[in-house]
Amino acid sequence: MNPVNYLYLAALLFTIGATGVLIRRNAIVVFMCIELMLNACNLAFVTFSRMHGNLDGQVIAFFTMVVAAAEVVVGLAIIVSLFRSRHSASVDDASLMKL
Amino acid sequence: MSAAAVHSLWTTAATAAPIAKIDAPKIEYGQLSPSLIVVGAALVGVLIEAFVPRRSRYYAQMLLSAVALAAAFAAVVALAADGYGTTKAHIAAMGAIAVDGPSLFLQGTILLVGLIALFTFGERRLDPEAHGNRVDSFAAQAAAVPGSESEQAAVKAGFTTTEVFPLLLFAVAGMLIFPSANDLLTLFVALEVFSLPLYLLCALARRKRLMSQEAAVKYFLLGAFASAFTLFGIALLYGYAGSVSYATISQVVDGTVTSVDPALADTMGNDALLLIGTAMLVMGLLFKVGAVPFHMWTPDVYQGAPTPVTGFMAAATKVAAFGALLRLLYVVLPGLRWDWRPVMWGVAIITMLGGAIVAITQTDIKRLLAYSSIAHAGFILAGVIATSKDGVSSVLFYLAAYSFVTLGAFAVVTLVRDAGGEATHLSKWAGLGRRSPLVAAVFAVFLLAFAGIPLTSGFAGKFAVFKAAAEGGAVPLVVIGVISSAIAAFFYIRVIVLMFFSEPRPEGPTVAVPSPLTTTAIAMGVVVTLVLGVAPQYFLNLASQAGVFVR
């Protein structure tokens, strides 16, 4: 199968993730959409790696996974602390600071 | 297929040629020492959190962080004195890190900013004592729900979040690597290494914790969103060039690539990948810089974060992110400048005008400074557009000058307090000059520097940037820059007038007497502002010597 198709899939997944970030209200779901975007990046890296015939992209995919894991740790800590003090993880409710 | 043949698919006979040895990577530890010292100290700081008794953690962490930042700064100075900024500039760590003039200059700036920010982080005399314990600006226990019994218990027990010091060091370490990264992978990892601690630091305010947590969530979600764009841009550039190394990508952009293996030749060089990838990558960096259309997070995060963190973030993030942006545009994509310059023109114009105009309507001093930082990002972008050696050195000088003013200004904001903590509403600053002339005068110096009045560092920086931009053919941009400086001057002067020429309100805030830590931070800000304003030549020369990237 032509590997370019995987690039289209990566672009599609990235777009779905970005759309989700923009339209969903729950911070956890928004965060999952961001993870989807990062995974789309990984798919693109691995596909390009296959197309170019070098391993850089596959190695970068591992780095991305580690970074994504670290981001989950920090992100969930922040979102959980927000949820515990407000009893809501809606990003629309968090509006103390508006002009 | 015989059994032996199948077997040979995944085994090899012992007599076959031995596997070639893999060469160990060559790492120039001495040249990477600034970042290594800071990372090492941060790890020791984590161990201190684990093993040192709670009473002595604060002192141990302060000492460790101060020594580490000072030692790393000394290492930067030693490297620069050794000629690594000029003649011996080269690429270290197997092509991952560039040791050259801009990176040493920016690393020095970031380390000094980190050191001064450390002083404001460690300040323990501003908040009234809680149950006989001196407290700083950070939450007693970040995990405790605001207003809950567990929080009261933590306050009563005298807990403090000393984890902020290792977090500060990790952020500084990421920022040291960010502007000197010489491949896109290092760039991305450094971006995350400095962003993640900042997200956490934003959530740790002692007062107004709900606002602080909200700021952290906003910063985190938008920052992670932006870094996903950065990463996809990196993926597309990798698809374009078949490598993430800056040198290779720039060769492929220029069409001067020397040796390509046949598998790569068929797949690289697709201009759509280059243009979309560049756009997404630059978008991520402009987010960190806080340039308009990507500035939405700035006012909320600056307002909600603990003020020492805001000062550090405003100063150091800008330095690091502009350093990375400069290297990306000047080293990787100079062959694409006819494509990115018009876009950057637009971004610079709307950033300068947008920041200055929206700032006029602000009523909170921290939000006002946030919008002013957006406007300043626009001024610095004008220098980036110059695409000349003067452009690089003027941006370096501007970043150094601006970061100390910002730190000083936010340090002053921590002093003006009422019963609810910091009094950040502008109406409460009315008549401050009558009550505490010294504090108001110092703040006025910083505001004049922001406005770019002669004899302050802001003027020297703006002059250098606009001169470079005009020589680079961006005269209309300079005209708009001067106009938006004038607009910005209006609201800076308005604050000064408010402080000195209006009656103090009876229930107005008091000015807390700081410990020597914050006093040092503010004094450093004033000294640097005045020295860079009155006698900028030495530092301009330094920046111009440092203004050459290594490829």
Side-chain angles (χ1 to χ4, degrees):
Chain A
M1 192 166 117
N2 187 354
V4 173
N5 289 334
Y6 289 103
L7 291 180
Y8 295 136
L9 177 63
L12 188 67
L13 287 175
F14 189 85
T15 314
I16 293 173
T19 315
V21 171
L22 296 177
I23 62 173
R24 296 306 294 263
R25 300 226 168 107
N26 188 309
I28 301 277
V29 178
V30 171
F31 186 42
M32 281 162 59
C33 291
I34 291 172
E35 293 295 312
L36 183 62
M37 293 165 77
L38 292 179
N39 283 324
C41 299
N42 264 350
L43 182 58
F45 273 121
V46 173
T47 312
F48 280 129
S49 183
R50 168 81 171 71
M51 287 166 67
H52 292 325
N54 63 19
L55 286 178
D56 292 9
Q58 302 194 18
V59 175
I60 296 172
F62 280 112
F63 276 89
T64 309
M65 285 179 211
V66 174
V67 165
E71 219 165 56
V72 169
V73 173
V74 168
L76 283 186
I78 293 174
I79 294 172
V80 166
S81 71
L82 181 91
F83 177 78
R84 292 199 344 162
S85 47
R86 290 168 182 268
H87 302 289
S88 142
S90 164
V91 288
D92 282 359
D93 288 353
S95 59
L96 281 175
M97 293 174 288
K98 265 193 181 161
L99 195 59
Chain B
M1 200 181 274
S2 73
V6 171
H7 200 65
S8 70
L9 281 179
W10 54 82
T11 59
T12 176
T15 51
I19 297 168
K21 276 189 185 154
I22 298 174
D23 291 327
K26 185 165 155 287
I27 307 282
E28 294 85 344
Y29 290 101
Q31 292 156 37
L32 305 180
S33 56
S35 345
L36 293 178
I37 291 173
V38 177
V39 175
L43 294 174
V44 175
V46 174
L47 291 179
I48 289 179
E49 283 304 315
F51 294 113
V52 172
R54 210 180 268 277
R55 278 192 319 283
S56 30
R57 270 184 214 166
Y58 167 77
Y59 301 99
Q61 295 281 21
M62 275 297 281
L63 185 70
L64 173 75
S65 313
V67 168
L69 291 171
F73 182 72
V76 167
V77 172
L79 283 174
D82 222 10
Y84 282 103
T86 49
T87 48
K88 284 157 83 181
H90 75 132
I91 293 168
M94 309 292 286
I97 306 273
V99 182
D100 59 4
S103 65
L104 286 177
F105 188 93
L106 294 170
Q107 287 183 339
T109 311
I110 292 166
L111 286 166
L112 282 184
V113 166
L115 191 60
I116 296 179
L118 175 73
F119 292 158
T120 56
F121 273 47
E123 172 65 55
R124 290 194 140 184
R125 293 213 192 140
L126 297 178
D127 246 314
E129 293 188 358
H131 303 282
N133 299 303
R134 284 194 173 157
V135 294
D136 48 25
S137 337
F138 299 101
Q141 197 171 32
V145 177
S148 69
E149 280 178 10
S150 62
E151 190 193 35
Q152 286 163 8
V155 171
K156 202 168 182 183
F159 291 175
T160 50
T161 308
T162 42
E163 289 91 343
V164 292
F165 299 108
L167 287 173
L168 172 76
L169 288 180
F170 277 122
V172 169
M175 288 170 184
L176 292 182
I177 299 171
F178 198 49
S180 53
N182 202 49
D183 66 41
L184 293 172
L185 175 62
T186 315
L187 182 85
F188 177 67
V189 173
L191 172 77
E192 293 294 327
V193 168
F194 86 74
S195 297
L196 295 179
L198 284 180
Y199 302 148
L200 288 173
L201 285 171
C202 283
L204 294 179
R206 177 170 284 265
R207 308 293 192 95
K208 300 174 184 155
R209 288 191 60 199
L210 283 179
M211 259 168 71
S212 167
Q213 289 178 346
E214 182 182 317
V217 168
K218 285 179 177 169
Y219 192 20
F220 169 73
L221 288 177
L222 293 175
F225 190 49
S227 63
F229 274 89
T230 312
L231 189 64
F232 206 75
I234 292 173
L236 295 181
L237 284 181
Y238 169 65
Y240 168 75
S243 163
V244 285
S245 148
Y246 280 12
T248 315
I249 297 175
S250 80
Q251 280 174 352
V252 179
V253 173
D254 295 343
T256 56
V257 64
T258 44
S259 62
V260 187
D261 55 284
L264 207 54
D266 296 339
T267 50
M268 70 181 201
N270 182 338
D271 276 349
L273 294 181
L274 173 66
L275 291 173
I276 301 173
T278 304
M280 292 175 102
L281 184 54
V282 169
M283 206 187 291
L285 290 178
L286 287 178
F287 172 87
K288 283 292 162 203
V289 160
V292 175
F294 316 107
H295 70 292
M296 290 304 180
W297 60 278
T298 319
D300 281 0
V301 174
Y302 279 25
Q303 188 189 357
T307 310
V309 176
T310 312
F312 170 66
M313 199 161 64
T317 311
K318 245 192 192 85
V319 177
F322 265 112
L325 188 65
L326 270 182
R327 189 178 295 278
L328 190 74
L329 295 180
Y330 281 53
V331 175
V332 188
L333 303 166
L336 207 63
R337 63 184 177 282
W338 302 112
D339 293 290
W340 61 253
R341 277 191 75 182
V343 179
M344 288 308 210
W345 264 68
V347 172
I349 289 173
I350 54 174
T351 308
M352 289 189 286
L353 286 177
I357 291 171
V358 181
I360 294 177
T361 62
Q362 298 305 314
T363 54
D364 186 286
I365 191 78
K366 282 167 88 177
R367 278 185 97 85
L368 183 108
L369 291 178
Y371 278 104
S372 117
S373 94
I374 294 171
H376 281 278
F379 299 141
I380 303 174
L381 276 177
V384 172
I385 288 163
T387 47
S388 62
K389 188 167 173 294
D390 280 352
V392 180
S393 58
S394 67
V395 169
L396 295 182
F397 180 82
Y398 198 117
L399 286 170
Y402 170 77
S403 55
F404 287 96
V405 182
T406 309
L407 271 177
F410 279 105
V412 173
V413 172
T414 61
L415 300 183
V416 182
R417 310 179 77 90
D418 59 14
E422 284 154 16
T424 53
H425 200 273
L426 264 184
S427 64
K428 295 186 177 162
W429 285 58
L432 193 73
R434 310 236 174 141
R435 283 190 183 167
S436 339
L438 183 62
V439 170
V442 165
F443 199 63
V445 168
F446 291 138
L447 289 175
L448 292 176
F450 279 134
I453 305 294
L455 295 183
T456 62
S457 61
F459 176 75
K462 260 191 195 132
F463 185 77
V465 166
F466 286 157
K467 183 161 158 280
E471 282 167 0
V475 177
L477 199 65
V478 173
V479 173
I480 294 174
V482 171
I483 292 173
S484 54
S485 295
I487 301 173
F490 165 72
F491 62 77
Y492 295 128
I493 305 290
R494 198 185 62 175
V495 176
I496 296 178
V497 169
L498 184 76
M499 287 194 303
F500 284 99
F501 300 108
S502 56
E503 285 300 318
R505 297 213 306 210
E507 75 284 14
T510 54
V511 172
V513 180
S515 73
L517 289 171
T518 301
T519 316
T520 315
I522 296 174
M524 281 289 288
V526 175
V527 168
V528 173
T529 306
L530 293 180
V531 168
L532 290 190
V534 175
Q537 199 53 49
Y538 172 76
F539 299 94
L540 282 169
N541 290 345
L542 195 69
S544 111
Q545 278 172 22
V548 182
F549 288 105
V550 66
R551 272 218 289 170

